[in-house]
Amino acid sequence: MDKFSIQGGARLEGEVSTSGSKNAALPVLAACLLTEEPVVLHRIPKVRDIGTMKKLLRHAGAELEELGNGTVRVQACAIRKPEAPYDLVKTMRASSLVLGPLAARTGRARVSLPGGCAIGARPINLHVAGLEQLGARLEQSHGYIEAKVEGRLQGTQIRFERITVTGTEDLLMAATLAEGETVLENAAREPEVTDLAELLTKMGARIEGAGTSAIRVQGVEKLHGAEHTIIADRIEAGTFLMAGAITGGDLVVRDCQPEHLEELTAKMRQAGATITEEGPGALRVRGSGRLRAVDATTAEYPGFATDLQAQYMALMTQAQGISFITETIFENRFMHVLELARMGANIRIEGSQAIVAGPSPLSGANVIASDLRASASLVLAALVADGETVVDRVYHIDRGYEKIEEKLAAAGARIKRAGSK
Ligand code: EPU
């Protein structure tokens, strides 16, 4: 199993570039199952979860051709197996994104139920309820959800009980091929949903309101091929901004979309970091070395992203004062706290709130990555810790960050990967 060895204390300087968004690429790849024609996607990040989604598409019968430089051509001429097997689903919960497209295209879908997860229960009941409203019959047996559709799905009005990102994406994809109009209310407004809607529109779908909480879809009989470039990964870019700030560095984060990062950059500015736009798609962060504590509460977009909470907590360990960090999306997303505490952070958890008292000098230690974003937070802490930190189980970080150690090293971090990949 790979580990990172990080020697703390180096300021990050220079430039780092952002990859395509993992969480946009996943639904966009699943959307390729909706048509028999080829879909060409650019800027697909080379991260483990994307590898899993590609396996899922191949399993279903799609052909994938890598055209180099993050471009992939997907063609699902026929769906041989409308199924997402347990072996793939257990490594990536977003596998449930194929449920809607498979049911809509073939009238059949069999998707393994995801099990528990490090950050919370993460059920898919809202995907299932929505598909039922669209007219599918769903049954659960042997750990699988099976959907059957007689004829076409039927457009309807679906109001999500709570906001779900992949749930919105799953049902949006299904609705494109339904008969008549579907309205998704209380829909997720994340940029990844909007990106998916853009691709679907290029494929011939009729969608209005993506990016708002009411999405209206006029179903069509068929979708066709298209070409699309994935948006920048706002979580990766945000992680880099915080890496620059925590090290008191001067770092330009290129190829990002600053408009997707406004909640984070506002907090970081309030905390004392200087963040400026350096031309289109680039943000420069300068850490003053004197950060102030600023509270954060996670929320659905455009609120503070839960996927940046762990990294922000690492940043706040270096800020003067007490910050209250509240997690409202997932019930167990504080797995990084104990590991940060082992490095010397002063953090107390009270229910869904972490109370961070800073600044704390951190010292290098052996720590274990428990999930994707928790791992990123440990890497940030290690960048300012005294001495060496060894982060174990970095396969978690490889699920969603493309070559993070190479990107950080190029900006001056002393980080090395050890172990065989
Ligand atoms: N929920 C339900 N029932 C459902 C679906 C969701 O109760 O059917 C609950 C969840 O348990 C959670 C809340 O609703 O408490 C929100 O979950 P959501 O469905 O929005 O999460 P997701 O779609 O499974 C995506 C991202 C996550 C990100 C969340 C929240 C992808 C592939 N994953 O997950 O990304 O944290 O939205 O923004 O888009 C990550 O990249 O590290 C990651 C975990």
Side-chain angles (χ1 to χ4, degrees):
M1 244 183 261
D2 284 8
K3 298 175 184 189
F4 283 160
S5 155
I6 302 164
Q7 290 287 342
R11 287 179 78 226
L12 294 196
E13 283 177 349
E15 293 188 357
V16 61
S17 95
T18 314
S19 298
S21 159
K22 165 185 82 91
N23 288 349
L26 287 170
V28 153
L29 281 164
C32 299
L33 294 173
L34 289 163
T35 175
E36 60 198 30
E37 293 186 16
V39 180
V40 176
L41 301 170
H42 303 288
R43 211 181 181 193
I44 297 287
K46 284 193 193 61
V47 297
R48 192 179 294 251
D49 276 6
I50 296 297
T52 306
M53 183 54 87
K54 288 177 180 169
K55 280 188 198 155
L56 270 172
L57 298 187
R58 287 199 181 97
H59 182 88
E63 283 178 16
L64 277 81
E65 198 184 339
E66 301 287 346
L67 302 177
N69 233 351
T71 297
V72 56
R73 180 183 186 274
V74 185
Q75 187 162 16
C77 291
I79 303 290
R80 281 196 301 274
K81 257 195 191 161
E83 181 192 77
Y86 176 66
D87 277 352
L88 294 176
V89 177
K90 74 175 183 206
T91 65
M92 187 185 68
R93 310 180 57 81
S95 306
S96 45
L97 279 169
V98 300
L99 184 61
L102 287 175
R105 165 108 181 254
T106 69
R108 289 275 181 284
R110 191 169 172 269
V111 173
S112 172
L113 279 168
C117 166
I119 62 177
R122 306 186 73 187
I124 58 162
N125 58 308
L126 300 175
H127 303 226
V128 169
L131 271 179
E132 275 175 340
Q133 276 184 270
L134 284 165
R137 270 189 300 118
L138 282 108
E139 274 173 25
Q140 183 186 333
S141 63
H142 307 292
Y144 279 77
I145 282 280
E146 197 158 349
K148 288 188 185 147
V149 186
E150 298 302 332
R152 279 172 74 186
L153 290 169
Q154 298 297 312
T156 185
Q157 188 156 344
I158 297 170
R159 186 173 175 82
F160 291 101
E161 221 168 83
R162 69 175 290 177
I163 298 176
T164 159
V165 178
T166 51
T168 301
E169 292 162 349
D170 207 5
L171 297 180
L172 172 61
M173 289 187 275
T176 59
L177 290 181
E179 195 170 352
E181 179 179 88
T182 301
V183 184
L184 302 176
E185 290 179 350
N186 200 27
R189 291 181 285 163
E190 268 64 5
E192 294 76 15
V193 175
T194 313
D195 198 39
L196 171 66
E198 263 181 40
L199 167 71
L200 292 169
T201 304
K202 289 179 190 166
M203 292 167 71
R206 294 169 58 202
I207 301 171
E208 272 171 34
T212 76
S213 51
I215 307 178
R216 204 172 275 272
V217 186
Q218 308 293 337
V220 294
E221 261 178 52
K222 251 178 175 315
L223 294 178
H224 51 74
E227 189 165 346
H228 185 68
T229 301
I230 310 301
I231 53 171
D233 196 313
R234 62 194 167 101
I235 307 302
E236 187 198 25
T239 304
F240 290 148
L241 287 175
M242 290 190 268
I246 202 170
T247 61
D250 183 354
L251 188 67
V252 177
V253 180
R254 292 223 173 272
D255 309 318
C256 66
Q257 283 171 256
E259 69 276 20
H260 296 159
L261 285 157
E262 280 169 7
E263 190 65 22
L264 174 70
T265 48
K267 292 266 174 225
M268 289 180 65
R269 286 189 180 113
Q270 225 183 317
T274 306
I275 300 177
T276 47
E277 294 215 13
E278 293 280 305
L283 286 172
R284 177 177 182 186
V285 59
R286 275 165 287 180
S288 61
R290 287 183 308 278
L291 291 166
R292 290 182 292 278
V294 175
D295 299 344
T297 298
T298 63
E300 294 87 359
Y301 192 83
F304 191 92
T306 173
D307 290 345
L308 290 170
Q309 176 259 109
Q311 303 88 314
Y312 186 75
M313 198 181 300
L315 184 68
M316 284 299 105
T317 67
Q318 300 309 298
Q320 176 71 46
I322 299 203
S323 49
F324 292 85
I325 299 178
T326 310
E327 173 59 53
T328 71
I329 307 293
F330 292 110
E331 58 275 23
N332 190 27
R333 212 173 196 181
F334 283 148
M335 301 282 282
H336 43 286
V337 169
L338 284 177
E339 298 300 285
L340 290 173
R342 292 185 55 248
M343 297 176 72
N346 183 350
I347 308 173
R348 199 173 77 232
I349 299 181
E350 281 185 9
S352 61
Q353 198 164 63
I355 304 158
V356 186
S360 302
L362 300 181
S363 62
N366 288 343
V367 290
I368 294 189
S370 54
D371 71 73
L372 170 54
R373 309 304 172 185
S375 334
S377 123
L378 297 177
V379 169
L380 294 191
L383 291 176
V384 283
D386 181 39
E388 185 190 26
T389 297
V390 175
V391 183
D392 202 351
R393 303 199 187 160
V394 298
Y395 59 83
H396 284 295
I397 213 164
D398 292 333
R399 288 186 48 203
Y401 288 89
E402 184 173 287
K403 298 185 186 151
I404 190 171
E405 76 281 20
E406 289 177 23
K407 290 188 183 188
L408 291 174
R414 289 176 295 202
I415 176 169
K416 277 196 293 226
R417 182 185 286 267
S420 56
K421 223 183 157 185

